[in-house]
Amino acid sequence: MSSYNILLDVKNLKKYFPVRKGVLRRVVAHVKAVDDIDMYIKEGETLGLVGESGCGKTTTGRTILRLIEPTAGEVRFRSKKLAGQGEEYKEVDVATASRKTLKALRRDMQVIFQDPYSSLNPRMTVGAIVGEPLLVHRVAKGRERENRVRELLGAVGLKPDHMKRYPHEFSGGQRQRIGVARALALDPQLIIADEPVSALDVSIQAQVLNMLEDLQEEFSLTYLFIAHDLSVVKHISDRVAVMYLGKIVELCKTEELFTNPKHPYTEALMSAVPVPDPDYNVERILLEGDVPSPVNPPSGCYFHPRCRYAKDTCKTEAPVYRDLGNEHFATCHFADSLSLRPVRTG
Amino acid sequence: MPLIEVRDLKTYFYTEDGVVRAVDGVDFTIEPEKTLGVVGESGCGKTVAALSVMGLIQTPPGRIETGEILYHRDGKVTDLTGLNPKGREYRSIRGNEIAMIFQEPMTSLNPVYTIGNQIMEAIILHQHLKKKEARKKAIEMLYAVGIPVPEQRVDEYPHQLSGGMRQRAMIAMALSCNPSLLIADEPTTALDVTIEAQVLDLMNGLRENFNTAIQFITHDLGVIAQMADDVVIMYLGKIVERATASEIFHNTKHPYTQGLMNSIPSLATTKKERLIPIKGVVPDPFEVPEGCGFEPRCPQAMEICKTKIPPLKEVASCHLAACWLYE
């Protein structure tokens, strides 16, 4: 692992939410929202995190940022701003960092939320929203802060005179740009984007995706891009992680995932995406039933009740998340032997 | 003989801030047992057009200004705009011959009644069956839409079902009276892809079994490609392009439709290509451009586009577009 720098290394990350019942609010069970996941993000890349609702992708993002306290695990982050003299970076475990360190770390790790309506304070002007991180972290104030806000608004394609307006005066796409400007304010290394385009219309979605790509290049950003839309994830990501019921079932390079999937869930997910071509007549793989409840997941492999390749082993033994070589990870007993259908190309 | 013929339909909303021309002169037809896809971004009037057919436009503030909605049945033609939306005749059509399903199944089902109760309500009202027979029919319908153990599910409440199951229950309810037209307003937008695939597959199967025409409203071109025979593309209350599905996808004419196609990332492309978005945003509904509604965003706009509204005319066989490029 010397040819590239790993910016963020997540090891055995877990987040269990207690389920309480009765008068005494006793803990009767746990929702295993994030259940022992491993992944790393290289500097300058985009890692896509894809899965259906309830699979734990948002919780993963928030636990990495420690907006939610993790139950267990490590989140090692190479911070440039915390580096001492002569050091290129300092490695910090976000999961156990002190409050003080964590606050400093916030300058390096930022977030963009899904809903551009609820993530901007309606009583603050755009200038105040975008400039707030600069005040909180005492990076700039007064005239300097104002200039920085102007610069940021310019970077996301808004006009400087938008500073004095309020969020309700903007369309969904413009609001999302404001959210991005706020995330950029502290010049972070990593941005976790949680479904940043799913609330937008298609024509606007393309504008925002292009902007995110441009900003990545301009400010050498690293993205963790969380989404449920496979086409969007494929478009923007260098590598993709597929989640199902709190676990990563497959993680590899984007090209590899779509041409050579190793997990049956990935295959079904790709097959389910509607293709914008009326002459496309390949039979789809229809999964039966719904995603099981994470409170009471199935035995063995969580996917086995819906998997068309399931064998007896799958019912009893949980598969291990393992490296199949060439940075291709999968959680399936038969990942080596199955020959799964790639997405149609051409 | 078409099932529904909409001619020059205009549905306006009179608000405090001015008039919103939600549907502004729209023509389309729905053939029996076919699926018409209606595509457009939020605010383009696709839902209002459907609600106009259903007679569900709230008046005030809304009003059907002009136009005809001709409904053909048993050799008779009824203009739905001429009926009282609250009158006996409309009520005997709505939910019976023309049924609708909505985007969010949780908010369109009543949380305090069981699924069975809600399906039976329509059956008892329109088909005059006894309660016992209606219940039997409700169970049959739940079975037809692929709900496992329907005898048990029929007595459950909406919150006990998953999102996909609720949408299936909605479809069961809509189809219980064997409608000739089913209007589906973004029925899978709130669902996950694997569940969406199940529901779309189900709808295609049911269309064949029940001989129902479908007006399928969505913003997702992928879903349209899979479901529709004919497609209507709407922008700012007007139809900008209308053709068969294969014409729309393989011989796209209108710059707006082309823009939409270029905006969606494709699973099929092998290289990481840059998306070509449509510039700008949809104009404010109170400040609609004077000429072509798409002119401010159109990469191929000409002088004439600024002042004159292009008519919807034939540009290829069975293919209409409203654009001055094809003059």
Side-chain angles (χ1 to χ4, degrees), chain B residues 92-156:
Chain B
S92 75
I93 295 172
R94 191 189 299 129
N96 186 23
E97 295 168 38
I98 303 179
M100 186 160 179
I101 52 176
F102 301 90
Q103 176 172 353
E104 207 357 285
M106 191 62 212
T107 49
S108 40
L109 288 169
N110 191 330
V112 299
Y113 290 103
T114 61
I115 298 293
N117 252 322
Q118 296 182 59
I119 301 177
M120 281 155 65
E121 185 189 357
I123 301 174
I124 293 170
L125 183 72
H126 293 298
Q127 306 204 327
H128 315 291
L129 292 183
K130 293 256 163 49
K131 211 173 165 192
K132 229 178 182 169
E133 296 162 43
R135 187 183 155 86
K136 219 177 117 204
K137 172 98 188 189
I139 294 174
E140 264 170 42
M141 287 311 302
L142 290 176
Y143 178 77
V145 296
I147 290 185
V149 230
E151 309 80 31
Q152 192 185 320
R153 292 289 184 181
V154 74
D155 293 320
E156 287 187 2

Side-chain angles (χ1 to χ4, degrees), chain A residues 52-53 201 207 234 284 287, chain B residues 42 194 198 226 269 278:
Chain A
E52 297 180 279
S53 40
D201 270 321
Q207 293 174 359
K234 175 172 190 236
R284 289 148 161 278
L287 286 182
Chain B
S42 23
T194 58
Q198 292 172 359
Q226 201 185 324
T269 50
I278 304 173

Side-chain angles (χ1 to χ4, degrees), chain B residues 4 7 15 56 66 75 82 84 126 128 151 158 162 164 186 193 197 236 245 248 261 284 287 299 311 327:
Chain B
I4 296 271
R7 287 189 193 156
T15 68
L56 288 176
T66 57
N84 176 3
H126 293 298
H128 315 291
E151 309 80 31
S162 66
E186 305 254 12
V193 270
L236 272 187
I248 286 278
M261 303 263 183
D284 188 280
E287 287 165 35
E327 201 46 36

Side-chain angles (χ1 to χ4, degrees), chain A residues 178-238:
Chain A
I178 298 168
V180 174
R182 175 176 59 188
L184 287 176
L186 295 167
D187 192 19
Q189 292 170 268
L190 175 73
I191 291 187
I192 295 187
D194 189 0
E195 302 263 15
V197 297
S198 55
L200 308 175
D201 270 321
V202 272
S203 71
I204 309 300
Q205 180 177 308
Q207 293 174 359
V208 173
L209 286 175
N210 278 349
M211 175 187 75
L212 287 173
E213 285 176 334
D214 293 342
L215 293 172
Q216 177 165 42
E217 198 159 308
E218 195 178 339
F219 300 103
S220 27
L221 297 167
T222 305
Y223 289 140
L224 175 62
F225 193 96
I226 302 170
H228 69 278
D229 185 332
L230 262 186
S231 330
V232 170
V233 166
K234 175 172 190 236
H235 175 79
I236 199 151
S237 311
D238 300 303

